[in-house]
């Protein structure tokens, strides 16, 4: 196997539609966890009421729990279940090595920046040469997978020799 980022590397950037598929898988899995917990905490009124935030359990279940789960998957597997399904991992954009915990936490909170302007920072993956969303750019990460023949080959600036 060639060194990541070297000529003949067997890695490619994970493209927009692959990552959309991964997000859909992750969203379904998170909903399977969150919906029953919200039902248990608030009952039917949670799903029928107009309140944006019903209380501390709502905040903990809807915001803190997904953050902890996603960051934990990234720390231990470098991917969420959706990314694992497409054989993709998150790596440092400069070296191709494991990102730091700080990078992964910054990447998660970078999603806020990416989604606020009508999701433009997420859509950016479709147009960026390295398939980075704004959250990736902020954290200094890229999402890669083994080459399947159709993607852009990966190149790292500071890959170990």
């Amino acid at each position: 196997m060639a060194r990541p980022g070297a000529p003949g590397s067997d890695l490619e950037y994970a493209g927009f539609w692959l990552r959309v598929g991964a997000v859909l898988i992750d969203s379904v899995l998170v909903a399977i966890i969150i919906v029953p917990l919200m039902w248990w905490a608030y009952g039917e009124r949670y799903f029928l009421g107009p309140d944006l935030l019903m209380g501390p359990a709502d905040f903990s279940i809807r915001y803190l729990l997904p953050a902890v789960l996603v960051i934990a998957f990234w720390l231990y597997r470098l991917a969420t279940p959706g990314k694992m399904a497409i054989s993709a991992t998150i790596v440092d954009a400069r070296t191709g090595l494991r990102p730091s915990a700080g990078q992964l936490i910054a990447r998660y909170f970078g999603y806020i920046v990416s989604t606020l302007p009508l999701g433009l920072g997420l859509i950016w993956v479709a147009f960026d040469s390295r398939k980075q969303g704004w959250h990736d750019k902020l954290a200094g990460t890229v999402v890669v997978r083994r080459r399947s023949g159709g993607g852009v080959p990966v190149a790292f600036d500071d890959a170990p020799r």
Side-chain angles (χ1 to χ4, degrees):
M1 175 168 83
R3 171 179 65 77
S9 171
D10 61 347
L11 297 177
E12 67 186 18
Y13 298 112
F16 178 77
W17 290 112
L18 282 171
R19 290 174 68 175
V20 167
V23 166
L24 291 175
I25 292 167
D26 291 336
S27 296
V28 168
L29 293 174
V30 168
I32 288 170
I33 295 167
I34 288 177
V35 169
L37 289 173
M38 295 308 283
W39 188 274
W40 174 77
Y42 294 103
E44 183 178 294
R45 68 186 174 101
Y46 178 80
F47 301 95
L48 301 175
D51 298 330
L52 292 177
L53 192 61
M54 293 190 75
D58 185 3
F59 180 79
S60 297
I61 294 168
R62 258 199 312 170
Y63 298 106
L64 291 181
L65 180 61
V68 168
L69 290 173
V70 167
I71 293 169
F73 266 103
W74 288 348
L75 286 169
Y76 294 104
R77 299 295 305 263
L78 296 178
T80 56
K83 281 189 181 52
M84 286 185 248
I86 64 165
S87 301
T89 58
I90 303 163
V91 297
D92 181 275
R94 287 185 314 105
T95 65
L97 301 175
R98 175 180 280 277
S100 69
Q103 281 177 287
L104 295 172
I105 292 167
R107 186 176 192 272
Y108 186 86
F109 289 103
Y111 277 122
I112 297 167
V113 175
S114 294
T115 57
L116 284 180
L118 303 174
L120 183 60
L122 300 174
I123 295 168
W124 196 258
V125 171
F127 305 104
D128 188 78
S129 63
R130 295 179 81 189
K131 304 302 179 193
Q132 288 177 295
W134 292 354
H135 54 289
D136 290 309
K137 290 185 178 295
L138 288 168
T141 59
V142 290
V143 179
V144 298
R145 67 186 214 132
R146 298 272 177 233
R147 293 214 47 201
S148 64
V152 176
V154 173
F156 299 109
D157 297 334
D158 298 337
R161 307 238 184 265

